[in-house]
Amino acid sequence: MITLFNIWHYLVIFMLLPVLVGGVFLALKDENSKYRVEIIVSFFLVFLFLSGIGIYAVDKNTKVAKLYRLENKRNLNTEKIMFSGVVRNEGNYEIGEVILEIKIENTTSNAANVDRGSYFVPSGFLYSFLGFGSKDDKPSRIEEKFTVAENLKPGETKDFIIYIDYPPHFQGFASSSAIYAH
């Protein structure tokens, strides 16, 4: 995962650094404590936890990517689905990596009579570890992630084209997408 730090990331870390330094100083200053190492480790873990939450919050609020003109076309010659579109950095800071998640679901000819929850997705403990199910089980939903842009500057756009193999057991498909900026 590529992530670029900006001034807000460093500000969060430098605001939490006195908590770590103060905790270590207090632990070392107490000469009678037999739990000195445990106290230092505890302050370090608190520092890591709060820094992680702070960095995640800063990422969510400063790195904003939008997806425009997402289109899909099925190529019958290669049996692939082509997704094309444009991604744009809407924020004020550079984005290290933009990830596009595509979900494809099988649609049947009588889609109106099928409940959305009845699609089969082979997962879980019994399928993974105990070998239940067969190789003939065909998933009704496929999820894939693609990196569509890297080092995207503020206001910059980038075109992308990605290909997904069309599952031969699908009668038709419906797709949905989500975009993540890191």
Side-chain angles (χ1 to χ4, degrees), residues 4-182:
L4 296 176
F5 277 20
N6 56 43
I7 189 71
W8 297 105
H9 290 95
Y10 294 117
L11 185 65
V12 165
I13 291 172
F14 287 127
M15 286 177 62
L16 292 173
L17 202 55
V19 172
L20 176 64
V21 172
V24 171
F25 178 74
L26 288 175
L28 293 176
K29 187 176 179 184
D30 187 13
E31 297 174 2
N32 296 330
S33 177
K34 55 184 172 183
Y35 300 110
R36 188 175 296 152
V37 174
E38 290 85 353
I39 293 171
I40 292 172
V41 169
S42 297
F43 272 103
F44 184 71
L45 290 176
V46 167
F47 171 76
L48 286 178
F49 178 72
L50 293 176
S51 295
I53 289 174
I55 288 171
Y56 178 77
V58 167
D59 263 358
K60 287 296 174 191
N61 291 311
T62 61
K63 297 181 179 181
V64 182
K66 296 265 178 145
L67 187 60
Y68 296 101
R69 299 190 323 247
L70 181 65
E71 298 174 353
N72 63 52
K73 295 178 184 165
R74 182 176 172 197
N75 187 340
L76 296 175
N77 291 336
T78 60
E79 286 298 323
K80 293 185 183 280
I81 305 170
M82 178 185 76
F83 288 89
S84 62
V86 177
V87 67
R88 178 181 167 90
N89 183 354
E90 298 283 332
N92 297 324
Y93 300 96
E94 188 173 353
I95 297 175
E97 184 178 50
V98 179
I99 298 173
L100 177 66
E101 179 182 53
I102 300 283
K103 295 178 185 175
I104 300 174
E105 291 187 7
N106 188 11
T107 57
T108 59
S109 59
N110 57 354
N113 299 331
V114 177
D115 180 26
R116 281 184 75 75
S118 67
Y119 287 121
F120 174 73
V121 178
S123 63
F125 181 76
L126 294 177
Y127 288 98
S128 300
F129 297 109
L130 299 180
F132 285 95
S134 69
K135 296 197 185 246
D136 296 331
D137 290 339
K138 297 174 177 132
S140 295
R141 179 183 297 158
I142 296 174
E143 300 177 15
E144 294 194 30
K145 293 182 181 182
F146 301 92
T147 301
V148 293
E150 290 182 346
N151 300 325
L152 204 58
K153 299 195 181 342
E156 184 179 8
T157 61
K158 182 166 186 208
D159 298 333
F160 65 88
I161 296 175
I162 55 174
Y163 295 94
I164 297 177
D165 291 332
Y166 187 82
H169 62 277
F170 275 24
Q171 293 180 3
F173 73 94
S175 63
S176 62
S177 62
I179 194 161
Y180 305 103
H182 298 288

